[in-house]
Each structure stands twice: as C-alpha cells, then as structure tokens.
C-alpha cells in the first residue's frame, strides 16, 4: 500500500493535537504542525523509500520526524501515535472535531473541568458552567451549542481540494493507463475547483472491449468497491474518500463530462434551455427526438444550446448561464498573468528558507516581484520581528535588489491586529515599508460587532495595505470568525486597501462567494501564496483557482499589475 503526503501530514497533525491535549512541550508540538503544513504543500509525493536520510533533507524534518516518516512508509502505522491514541480518551479526541475547539480548549475542558466528551460538554453548556472560563467567550459557546444540537451525520467531513488531489490524480493516472481507456477525468466539484470535495466523480471513456472496473479491483489505494456491471461503480479509497465512477462511449463523453461536472444547479439551467428549444439534454447527449445534435465534445453541447463554453469554476448557477447566453462571460484570470506575490515568509520568522532562496524561488515561479512579509513580534508567533531585526532585513533586501536585474523585492511585514484593532508594530517602523499586511491571529471568537469594529479600525491605519486571509478559516479545523463583510468591502473600497485571496491549501480565504462580492464592490484582490518555504509558491495555483471561482479577471487583481502600476496602487493606500 502507498502512503501519501496527506497521510503523513494527518498523522503528524493528530500527534500534535494529542500532545497538546496532554499539555506537552509547545516547541515539540509546533515541530509536528510545521512538518504537517510543509508536507501538505509539497508538490510531489515523498514516500519513495524507507531510508530516513532521504526525509531528513526536507525542510523542518529532523532525525526524529524523518524516522517517523520512514516508519509510516514501511508499516503504514506509527507506534507513537497509537500510544497517544490509547492515552488520550476517545471522548476527548472527539471534542477536537467540534467547530472552534482547538487542543488548548480541549485540554481546559478535560483536565481543568473534567468534561471528557460531547455529552458532558452539552450538560456543562446547559448548566452555564463555561461562562467566565477563559477562551470560552459567548460566541464560541453559542457555536458549540449549535454544533452539539446538530445530528452527527450532518457534520460529515468534506476533504480540502489539495488533499483530495493527492488521491484523485494517482487514481486518474491508474485508470488512464488501463488498456482500452481513451480518456479519464475527475469531474464533479473537483473539476469545478471547489475548495472542498464531498466525493470524487470519475468519468472514463472506453470502448466495449475494455474493463476498467475489473482493473480497479487491483488498485493499491482502494478501500471497497461496489460495482454494477461494466459501466458503473461506486467505492471508497483507503483514506475514506468516496468515489463514483462511470464509463461512457466516445459519442457521449462530452455530454457526460458536462453532466457529471455539475453543479447540479448549473445542469438544471442547461436542461431548461434545452427544453425551451424542444431538445432533450442528458448525460448521453443533446437530442432532437432520436437525433443526437451534440455529445462527443463538451464545447459542442454548450454551442448547440447557443451558449459560450463555461469554464468549470463558474458552473455554480451564480449568473454564468445568463452571461454565456449573452456571450458575456468574464475573461478569467490566468496564473501566467500574476506578476508578483505580496505575502511571503522567510526563516527570519516561521518560514523554512532564507531570504535569498525565497527570492530565487519567486523568480523561478515566473514572477517579477515579491514582497517579504515576515511576522511582527507578538504573542504566539515564533521569533516575530521587532523593529531592529526588521531594519536589518530591509538592509538585506536593499543589498539583494542592488545585485538583481529584472526582479524586485519589496519590503513588507505581516502585522497582527491586536484585540482592540491597534497594530503590533509602531507607526515609525511601518512607515518605512513598501507594504503592510495586517491579519487577525488571535481573539477569533469576538462578537460580530466587535470583530468588525476591530478589523475596520486596523484598516483605517494609514500604513495598512492589505488584509490577509480575511475570514480566518482553516478548512476542517476552524470556522471563519464572524465579520460583517459588507462593511469590510465598503471600507476597503473607500479607504482604499486591498483584500487577500490566500492560497494556502487549508485557507483559500477569501472564499469564492466573497471574492465575487469583493469584486462587485470594486475592491482589488491580492492573490498570495503565503509561502513559508520555496515549494509553497505552488499555493498561487490554489489562489488563482479560488479567484476564478469568484469571477476574477486580470484587472481585479493587484499583483497582476506591472511593478510601476503596483507601486502607484501601494502609494494610493497611504492616507
Ligand atoms: P460534492 O461531491 O459534494 O463535492 O459535489 P459534486 O458537485 O461533485 O456533487 P456529486 O458528487 O453529488 O455529483 C456530481 C455531479 O453529478 C453533480 O455536480 C451534477 C451531477 N448530478 C448528481 N446528481 C444529480 C441530480 O440529481 N441531478 C442532476 N441534474 N445532476 C446530478
Ligand atoms: Ca463529487
Ligand atoms: Ca458523486
């Protein structure tokens, strides 16, 4: 059996969770979390062999973690994780899956208050025992009450796209290589580039002689398979990800691609248009009576309905069908149109690589400028920069710029928005930077009114350029904080300042719906990798995908502008 990066990351993340419930050393916990984050962002699979030395060369992986990776690759299990699972009661581990509850909360509940499972937590909330307990403000208590009132099935987990990809791509490659299979595509929400996927939908084009479903029975990552005949199957992969599979003939492939890419609502719109023209649209084709008007190619299906071809990212019934009828779909942003990246970390704070290496990697990613935005010194941030260290980093950037042609490094910082909306670095320091990113990294559970007032106050600061990951969500881990986005968009537009689309696989923040709303408010977006290591410039792909789902064009994006224009837009924020 094969171990994917996502499996190793999940194991390390679980170790970190369990260790922090136990109150273990914060440094040790952080090492596991950073390793997990690094593994999730690697563009290639690492499970090549069982020699720990190979893994020790990865950023942030020391001898201990390297031997754990080797053990996982060799045995599929980790002794130390199994031990932790025995030590931490199942009820306490289950509490971690509740929205808004991190390991520190769970430790407070379990060790401090003897609340060891959902039932006990429900009782404690009802009895008002958590009022006044540190970290359990009214917003979090309300969220927990709501979550505990929902039946467990509704909390069924969706997988972040990046994790699904680590299973989807090998599955597609495997099926594409089965003799007689002409095409293999992962369709459904995966093809639409949605931030999370419920299941994978696999579409194959194959003639009668091929039997890909029989071949699939020998697939190493297969958990279970439920097939009915040679054209239809459903199953689960070893990591619990479910899939549906359909095999169709070439003359229907385009229609099936359209049908199973969805969304369901987009498909319904198309069928309404077909119906109005006296036609019938199905996964087999577009028909007038028995005559097939289109079906082989997806473009033909749209064209035969009088529609421009709709990029999969837009197929959510958010106005795209009407736009396709008028031939007025937006010219969606391309990755190749990004000129720079305005949110990047180095090992001066919590990144893995040096300034010089990050700059080389940015150039290699096809960019022509990059802003270095290490963290300000503040509680909870490792080695945050103070004024002195930031000044030295600025000198190093000047020296680099003096040596380079055709590439520019901008000076920036990612500064915490403190609880009251003030910033964690003094104005005199901020004024010397080319740009200032601000972000919420604490006090996630303020009321909507307080959180909104806090963030808006930060944006009023004359040095602030960009609000990073505006909702604060972490997919599968942390809900977005409550914030009045209408007011945020209005404020960003009039100030002006810019809003980030953070491409970290677990953030993808702003989300698609809010990207569209921000653009409609006339707010410019900064698409950012938030790279903490050289590989993570690949996060820009995720930011672009998300922005496309929000209808973003080149002109909506701050860092799609050439440097001179960017500089003008940066100056425009200086109040
Ligand atoms: P997911 O899996 O929750 O992330 O979302 P999807 O969009 O992949 O949904 P899924 O897997 O249930 O179905 C895949 C596609 O198949 C869906 O996007 C459109 C099509 N489809 C499925 N069920 C229906 C249906 O009842 N009516 C129509 N028109 N299309 C459907
Ligand atoms: Ca699906
Ligand atoms: Ca499905």
């Amino acid at each position: 059996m094969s171990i994917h990066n996502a499996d190793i990351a999940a194991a390390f993340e679980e170790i970190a969770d369990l260790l922090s419930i136990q109150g273990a050393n914060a440094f040790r916990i952080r090492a596991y979390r950073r390793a997990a984050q690094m593994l999730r962002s690697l563009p290639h699979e690492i499970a090549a062999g069982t020699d720990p030395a190979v893994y020790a060369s990865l950023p942030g992986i020391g001898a201990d973690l390297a031997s754990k990776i080797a053990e996982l690759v060799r045995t599929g299990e980790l002794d130390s994780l199994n031990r932790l699972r025995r030590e931490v009661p199942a009820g306490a581990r289950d509490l971690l899956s509740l929205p808004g509850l991190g390991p520190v909360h769970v430790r407070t509940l379990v060790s401090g208050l003897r609340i060891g499972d959902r039932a006990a937590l429900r009782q404690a909330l009802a009895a008002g025992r958590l009022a006044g307990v540190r970290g359990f403000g009214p917003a979090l208590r309300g969220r927990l009450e709501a979550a505990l009132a929902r039946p467990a099935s509704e909390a069924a987990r969706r997988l972040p796209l990046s994790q699904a990809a680590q299973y989807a791509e090998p599955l597609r490659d495997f099926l594409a290589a089965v003799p007689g299979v002409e095409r293999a595509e992962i369709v459904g929400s995966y093809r639409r580039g949605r931030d999370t996927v419920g299941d994978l939908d696999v579409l194959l084009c194959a003639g009668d002689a091929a039997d890909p479903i029989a071949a699939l029975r020998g697939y190493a990552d297969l958990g279970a398979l439920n097939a009915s005949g040679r054209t239809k199957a459903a199953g689960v992969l070893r990591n619990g990800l479910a899939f549906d599979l359909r095999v169709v003939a070439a003359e229907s492939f385009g229609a099936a691609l359209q049908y199973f890419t969805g969304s369901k609502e987009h498909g319904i719109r198309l069928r309404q248009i077909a119906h109005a023209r006296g036609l019938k649209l199905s996964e087999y084709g577009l028909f007038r009576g028995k005559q097939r008007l289109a079906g082989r190619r997806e473009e033909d299906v749209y064209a035969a309905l009088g529609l421009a071809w709709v990029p999969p990212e837009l197929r959510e019934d958010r106005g795209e069908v009407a736009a396709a009828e008028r031939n007025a779909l937006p010219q969606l942003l391309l990755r190749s149109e990004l000129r720079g990246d305005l949110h990047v970390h180095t090992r001066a704070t919590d990144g893995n690589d040096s300034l010089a290496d990050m700059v080389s990697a940015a150039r290699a990613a096809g960019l022509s400028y990059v802003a270095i935005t290490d963290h300000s010194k503040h509680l909870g941030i490792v080695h945050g920069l103070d004024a002195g260290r930031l000044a030295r980093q600025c000198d190093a950037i000047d020296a680099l710029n003096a040596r380079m042609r055709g590439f520019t490094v901008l000076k920036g910082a990612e500064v915490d928005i403190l609880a009251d909306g003030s910033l964690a670095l003094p104005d005199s320091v901020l004024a010397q930077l080319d740009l200032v990113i601000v972000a919420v990294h604490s006090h996630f559970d303020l009321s909507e009114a307080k959180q909104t007032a806090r963030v808006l106050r930060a944006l009023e600061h004359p040095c602030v350029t960009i609000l990073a990951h505006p909702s604060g969500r972490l997919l599968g881990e942390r809900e977005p904080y409550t914030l009045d986005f209408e007011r945020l968009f209005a404020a960003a537009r009039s100030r002006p300042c810019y809003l980030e689309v953070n491409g970290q696989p677990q953030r993808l923040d702003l989300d698609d719906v809010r990207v569209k709303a921000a653009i409609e408010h006339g707010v410019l977006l900064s698409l950012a990798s938030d790279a903490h290591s050289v590989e993570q410039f690949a996060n820009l792909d995720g930011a672009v995908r998300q922005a496309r789902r929000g209808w973003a064009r080149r002109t909506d994006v701050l860092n799609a502008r050439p440097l001179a224009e960017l500089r003008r837009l940066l100056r425009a924020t200086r109040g």
Side-chain angles (χ1 to χ4, degrees):
M1 107 177 162
S2 55
I3 293 283
H4 299 288
N5 297 355
D7 301 315
I8 306 168
F12 283 0
E13 203 66 73
E14 189 179 348
I15 290 179
D17 285 345
L18 297 179
L19 284 174
S20 51
I21 292 176
Q22 290 189 330
N25 176 299
F27 186 77
R28 205 172 141 215
I29 295 167
R30 208 146 47 221
Y32 280 108
R33 289 211 196 284
R34 288 176 64 183
Q37 191 199 25
M38 184 278 297
L39 288 164
R40 287 209 177 94
S41 68
L42 281 182
H44 54 89
E45 293 279 356
I46 64 161
T50 54
D51 175 7
V54 176
Y55 303 122
S57 67
L58 290 163
I61 302 291
D64 176 50
L65 292 186
S67 73
K68 288 203 165 66
I69 295 176
E71 180 188 344
L72 253 177
V73 171
R74 192 174 66 245
T75 67
E77 290 193 63
L78 264 185
D79 256 357
S80 50
L81 176 56
N82 290 340
R83 192 167 56 247
L84 281 167
R85 283 176 177 156
R86 287 193 295 274
E87 287 168 8
V88 179
R93 278 189 269 137
D94 176 47
L95 288 177
L96 266 186
S97 62
L98 287 168
L101 276 199
V104 177
H105 291 108
V106 174
R107 180 164 167 73
T108 305
L109 291 175
V110 175
S111 309
L113 301 165
R114 309 272 154 222
I115 296 170
D117 58 27
R118 282 178 190 242
L121 179 57
R122 200 180 292 118
Q123 278 175 10
L125 283 164
R129 274 181 67 206
L130 290 177
V133 175
R134 220 186 131 176
F136 289 84
L140 177 59
R141 295 204 305 273
R143 206 189 296 166
L144 288 173
E145 274 164 348
L148 288 166
R150 277 197 297 271
S153 64
E154 215 188 292
R157 282 170 55 103
R158 300 175 60 84
L159 211 56
L161 183 73
S162 61
Q163 287 177 46
Q166 299 201 339
Y167 285 82
E169 302 294 324
L171 176 62
R172 182 186 49 203
D173 293 348
F174 174 87
L175 289 166
V178 172
V181 171
E182 289 154 37
R183 283 189 68 179
E185 297 290 343
I186 311 288
V187 290
S189 53
Y190 185 84
R191 181 168 178 236
R192 302 199 308 279
R194 207 175 146 183
D195 46 18
T196 59
V197 305
D199 73 354
L200 295 178
D201 303 282
V202 187
L203 183 65
L204 303 180
C205 178
D208 290 342
D211 194 354
I213 293 174
L216 186 58
R217 292 187 191 283
Y219 185 54
D221 275 338
L222 185 69
L225 185 68
N226 192 345
S228 52
R230 289 159 79 98
T231 62
K232 226 173 153 177
V236 259
L237 297 174
R238 204 172 38 73
N239 72 334
L241 181 59
F243 64 89
D244 289 321
L245 182 142
R246 286 287 286 266
V247 188
V248 299
E251 66 265 25
S252 293
F253 188 76
L257 197 56
Q258 197 294 308
Y259 184 93
F260 292 110
T261 295
S263 64
K264 188 173 162 183
E265 293 73 19
H266 175 86
I268 288 170
R269 290 263 174 224
L270 261 49
R271 278 196 297 286
Q272 285 169 350
I273 291 176
H275 188 76
R277 295 176 169 223
L279 309 176
K280 186 171 175 296
L281 177 63
S282 74
E283 65 262 53
Y284 299 105
L286 179 67
F287 296 90
R288 176 178 288 123
K290 288 201 167 3
Q291 184 198 0
R292 192 196 310 262
L293 303 180
R296 193 171 285 273
R297 299 186 331 145
E298 192 181 57
E299 298 88 319
D300 301 340
V301 174
Y302 282 93
L305 289 170
L307 300 173
W309 179 78
V310 180
E313 295 96 322
L314 296 185
R315 299 183 194 175
E316 298 290 347
D317 191 23
R318 295 178 187 151
E320 74 282 3
V321 177
E325 276 184 307
R326 289 181 281 118
N327 200 17
L329 286 166
Q331 190 91 47
L332 294 182
L333 176 78
L334 301 171
R335 165 65 181 84
S336 57
E337 291 173 330
L338 292 187
R339 309 277 188 113
D341 186 348
L342 302 177
H343 187 167
V344 168
H345 296 274
T346 74
R347 68 173 177 223
T349 59
D350 62 347
N352 285 301
D353 294 309
S354 69
L355 171 64
D357 286 347
M358 292 305 279
V359 168
S360 306
R363 289 192 90 155
L367 304 176
S368 59
Y369 54 84
V370 70
I372 301 299
T373 55
D374 275 319
H375 290 284
S376 58
K377 188 178 178 65
H378 184 62
L379 245 61
I381 298 285
V382 224
H383 312 311
L385 294 183
D386 57 18
R389 289 182 62 217
L390 189 56
R392 283 199 293 286
Q393 187 179 64
C394 288
D395 291 343
I397 290 174
D398 284 336
L400 258 181
N401 278 332
R403 289 209 309 271
M404 281 187 302
R405 291 272 167 274
F407 191 91
T408 302
V409 186
L410 299 166
K411 299 166 193 166
E414 178 177 6
V415 183
D416 283 355
I417 302 177
L418 303 181
D420 65 354
S422 62
L423 301 183
L425 277 175
D427 298 2
S428 56
V429 175
L430 300 181
Q432 292 168 25
L433 300 171
D434 295 310
L435 66 100
V436 173
I437 293 182
V438 292
V440 168
H441 287 120
S442 64
H443 301 89
F444 298 109
D445 58 353
L446 301 182
S447 68
E448 176 172 319
K450 280 194 178 152
Q451 197 69 276
T452 305
R454 172 194 188 189
V455 172
L456 293 190
R457 180 173 168 218
L459 297 189
E460 276 163 21
H461 193 291
C463 291
V464 167
T465 325
I466 296 167
L467 176 65
H469 39 74
S471 87
R473 74 171 182 177
L474 290 176
L475 291 171
E477 260 176 57
R478 189 168 73 209
E479 295 288 313
Y481 40 77
T482 53
L483 190 67
D484 184 339
F485 276 87
E486 286 295 309
R487 287 188 61 202
L488 173 66
F489 296 146
R493 168 80 177 109
S494 64
R495 167 79 173 59
C497 61
Y498 311 116
L499 297 179
E500 187 178 82
V501 181
N502 188 296
Q504 277 198 28
Q506 273 186 290
R507 290 196 184 270
L508 297 174
D509 179 9
L510 297 169
D511 70 16
D512 48 2
V513 172
R514 288 188 174 130
V515 166
K516 190 160 189 273
I519 291 171
E520 283 162 3
H521 278 80
V523 176
L524 279 183
L525 304 167
S526 171
L527 269 58
S529 71
D530 196 356
H532 284 67
S533 64
V534 290
E535 302 86 12
Q536 290 181 2
F537 285 99
N539 291 350
L540 288 172
D541 295 336
V544 169
R545 194 183 298 117
Q546 179 91 324
R548 285 168 62 92
R549 285 180 54 81
W551 294 52
R553 303 154 300 177
R554 180 180 55 77
T555 47
D556 300 315
V557 176
L558 180 64
N559 50 314
R561 311 288 173 107
L563 182 65
E565 205 182 332
L566 173 80
R567 285 202 192 273
R568 191 180 60 70
L569 287 162
L570 296 182
R571 275 196 303 276
T573 65
R574 294 277 152 128

